[in-house]
Amino acid sequence: MLKRKLELREARVGIIGLGYVGLPLALLFSEQKFRVTGFDTDAAKVEKLNDGRSYIVRIHDAAIAQAQKTGFKATSQFAEIAEMDAVIICVPTPLNEHHEPDLSYVTRTVESIAPHIREGQLIVLESTTYPGTTEEVVVPLLERGNPGGLRVAQGAEETGVHVAFSPEREDPGNDMVKRHDIPKIVGGCGQAAAELATAMYCSIFKRVIPVSTPAVAEMTKLLENIYRCVNIALVNELKQLCMKMGIDIHEVIEAAKTKPFGFQAFYPGPGLGGHCIPIDPFYLSWKAKEFDFVTRFIQLAGEINGEMPYFVLEHIADALNAHRKSINGSKILVLGLAYKRDIDDLRESPSLTIIELLRDKGATVCYNDPYFPTVGRGRHYDLNMTNTPLEDLGQYDAVIIVTDHSSYDYRKIVEESQLVVDTRNATKGIASPKIVRC
Ligand SMILES: NC(=O)c1ccc[n+]([C@@H]2O[C@H](COP(=O)([O-])OP(=O)(O)OC[C@H]3O[C@@H](n4cnc5c(N)ncnc54)[C@H](O)[C@@H]3O)[C@@H](O)[C@H]2O)c1
């Protein structure tokens, strides 16, 4: 019985997709003495992990070595799925060039594992996606791809393979909430799947919240991220109004935060970044079309947040103009590539857009970010740049703070620069005519 094996930590756990979500999850299971196998199509990641090395800054090599002591290993061989008791899928769910869900990583994964799944196994999808994915996409693909005709167990019956959805709630860079303290939502295809998934996550999370269906769990994750996306858009819009009115939005937010109920603080910035907030809401907008429904809040928030790098560009132009300079021909240093403070993730980062916009306007752009020695080519950018040391700041016509890494000495940066454009309120408390906040 899988439930008993899970309770005794005898179940073997397979994690597919060893990225920002999958690798920490694998380590969490290892900490609880589960024997974990990580699956990834990226041979370089597999090799590094098996050498005891990490490729995520906040995960130290020692944590990999420790996990190896309880049997952790990585592989690209999907046939080994057959040896697992539980399999968790954590592969990317980006948008395609038409801003529509790209489920190809999920479907490819399910097609790769379908021939190897077996009776009694538990398969859980953790990748963020639209409601209906688990039951409408994952289940049929698993059943179709299994040569033995294995079915997905439904209801309370225990025969077949068990399938569930459980959203990931990782908050990179947040050291205040420990991973095992983040409550885990679980929605199973049937009661047996829900119970098994709950039993599995209870061994690594303090609190597991079962919901009635995978679709409820899928929608829960989207609600959480849409809530953030819409509220960030709201403060981004109010920031623009406040600037026209000569009011400091950050002072307003700090004052509003003192209300002990009914208000949660969100902060304006140069635009959204990361693999979640700029992307996930559009998974729902796309699905809504099937129901002839327009998600207006999501659209509006997407518009406002998407315009923020252009808003920053305008303010850089104005700031340079006040110094009798133009963007064209200026030498500009962008501080921070990561999409948020103190992390090594630049996916969808507004810095990348701002750098490209500045270059398009004829600026010579350099960047500094302690987390990225170089930046090459990604899905939406092609920069080919190398980190510039944080020195001789006077040589730049403007220094733009796009990511407020805590390792920066902002007072020193302001002292040494000709002009600082601050998009994050990182220079709070520093009074200088050189600073333009936007
Ligand atoms: N990063 C976050 O903070 C975060 C938070 C919550 C939810 N999520 C969601 O979790 C999912 C994974 O995100 P992530 O940030 O870990 O992505 P990631 O890009 O860091 O990692 C994904 C990993 O999957 C591997 N991979 C891709 N296709 C594969 C395949 N067919 N088989 C095996 N491995 C494959 C990649 O090589 C990579 O190592 C996404 O759906 C994302 O929306 C991410």
Side-chain angles (χ1 to χ4, degrees):
M1 282 283 288
L2 178 52
K3 200 166 173 193
R4 189 80 188 121
K5 274 178 113 177
L6 286 163
E7 282 160 7
L8 294 171
R9 311 292 199 254
E10 285 171 1
R12 288 194 59 185
V13 178
I15 311 275
I16 306 180
L18 300 170
Y20 290 96
V21 166
L23 184 57
L25 187 66
L27 299 180
L28 214 52
F29 276 105
S30 288
E31 274 168 33
Q32 290 304 320
K33 311 287 179 239
F34 283 94
R35 197 170 146 207
V36 180
T37 303
F39 296 80
D40 204 294
T41 43
D42 185 336
K45 283 185 177 168
V46 168
E47 194 184 325
K48 268 196 177 171
L49 290 173
N50 288 335
D51 281 352
R53 289 180 291 138
S54 168
Y55 37 76
I56 295 178
V57 169
R58 65 182 190 283
I59 295 177
H60 302 298
D61 292 352
I64 311 291
Q66 187 62 33
Q68 284 173 326
K69 286 186 190 156
T70 48
F72 172 70
K73 65 159 196 164
T75 181
S76 298
Q77 302 300 321
F78 281 84
E80 292 188 38
I81 288 291
E83 295 162 33
M84 303 298 123
D85 295 297
V87 176
I88 304 176
I89 302 170
C90 309
V91 296
T93 44
L95 294 171
N96 67 19
E97 61 275 21
H98 305 297
H99 238 59
E100 290 165 349
D102 173 3
L103 273 190
S104 61
Y105 296 89
V106 173
T107 55
R108 273 205 299 275
T109 300
V110 177
E111 281 161 356
S112 317
I113 67 171
H116 310 293
I117 53 170
R118 57 172 174 78
E119 179 76 39
Q121 254 180 346
L122 171 67
I123 314 285
V124 184
L125 177 65
E126 285 215 7
S127 303
T128 308
T129 184
Y130 59 79
T133 307
T134 307
E135 285 163 300
E136 295 164 16
V137 179
V138 174
V139 168
L141 275 180
L142 273 180
E143 292 183 338
R144 210 178 310 143
N146 186 261
L150 190 64
R151 311 291 299 170
V152 169
Q154 299 289 344
E157 63 181 87
E158 288 208 12
T159 56
V161 65
H162 302 283
V163 175
F165 180 83
S166 179
E168 170 53 49
R169 281 171 154 173
E170 162 89 333
D171 181 16
N174 182 345
D175 297 327
M176 305 298 283
V177 186
K178 291 213 162 40
R179 189 98 189 249
H180 63 254
D181 284 333
I182 303 173
K184 192 85 172 117
I185 307 286
V186 166
C189 296
Q191 198 186 321
E195 282 175 12
L196 286 174
T198 302
M200 177 177 74
Y201 286 118
C202 274
S203 58
I204 55 165
F205 291 103
K206 276 198 184 144
R207 194 169 160 223
V208 178
I209 297 122
V211 293
S212 58
T213 61
V216 170
E218 289 158 341
M219 188 70 172
T220 304
K221 172 70 187 177
L222 291 185
L223 170 62
E224 292 167 10
N225 283 355
I226 291 163
Y227 172 76
R228 281 191 68 76
C229 176
V230 167
N231 278 287
I232 292 170
L234 175 68
V235 286
N236 274 336
E237 185 175 70
L238 292 183
K239 170 174 87 171
Q240 295 176 47
L241 174 64
C242 281
M243 283 177 69
K244 285 188 185 292
M245 297 172 81
I247 297 169
D248 178 355
I249 183 76
H250 292 279
E251 191 183 350
V252 174
I253 295 169
E254 289 313 304
K257 252 170 75 177
T258 60
K259 187 179 177 188
F261 48 86
F263 182 82
Q264 189 188 349
F266 288 87
Y267 298 94
L272 293 182
H275 188 0
C276 294
I277 314 295
I279 292 173
D280 304 346
F282 297 103
Y283 267 66
L284 189 63
S285 312
W286 177 84
K287 184 69 178 172
K289 287 186 195 148
E290 195 180 307
F291 299 87
D292 207 9
F293 191 94
V294 180
T295 51
R296 286 174 293 166
F297 269 105
I298 295 174
Q299 270 181 5
L300 180 61
E303 257 171 53
I304 295 172
N305 290 328
E307 280 163 9
M308 293 315 291
Y310 298 86
F311 172 83
V312 170
L313 186 77
E314 244 177 70
H315 282 269
I316 296 171
D318 288 350
L320 284 169
N321 190 51
H323 285 233
R324 297 175 189 275
K325 291 177 185 174
S326 63
I327 291 179
N328 194 354
S330 283
K331 192 169 179 190
I332 294 178
L333 177 67
V334 168
L335 290 190
L337 281 188
Y339 77 86
K340 72 173 182 176
R341 181 193 304 167
D342 299 344
I343 64 163
D344 60 335
D345 189 348
L346 49 67
R347 288 176 294 179
E348 313 293 325
S349 173
S351 291
L352 305 168
T353 314
I354 290 169
I355 291 174
E356 286 191 325
L357 291 173
L358 287 168
R359 278 179 162 184
D360 287 350
K361 295 261 179 231
T364 301
V365 187
C366 304
Y367 82 87
N368 175 277
D369 190 312
Y371 293 92
F372 300 98
T374 58
V375 58
R377 194 183 172 150
R379 281 169 72 91
H380 308 297
Y381 60 89
D382 187 4
L383 294 180
N384 192 21
M385 295 169 82
T386 305
N387 186 46
T388 305
L390 201 56
E391 56 195 33
D392 197 10
L393 297 183
Q395 68 177 298
Y396 300 102
D397 297 293
V399 172
I400 322 294
I401 301 170
V402 185
T403 317
D404 51 344
H405 288 310
S406 53
S407 58
Y408 288 140
D409 180 342
Y410 292 103
R411 200 167 287 279
K412 193 158 174 269
I413 287 167
V414 172
E415 266 166 27
E416 293 179 5
S417 304
Q418 298 182 41
L419 168 67
V420 174
V421 178
D422 178 5
T423 70
R424 296 276 190 182
N425 203 30
T427 57
K428 182 182 170 190
I430 304 173
S432 165
K434 293 182 193 172
I435 303 172
V436 171
R437 297 189 177 96
C438 71

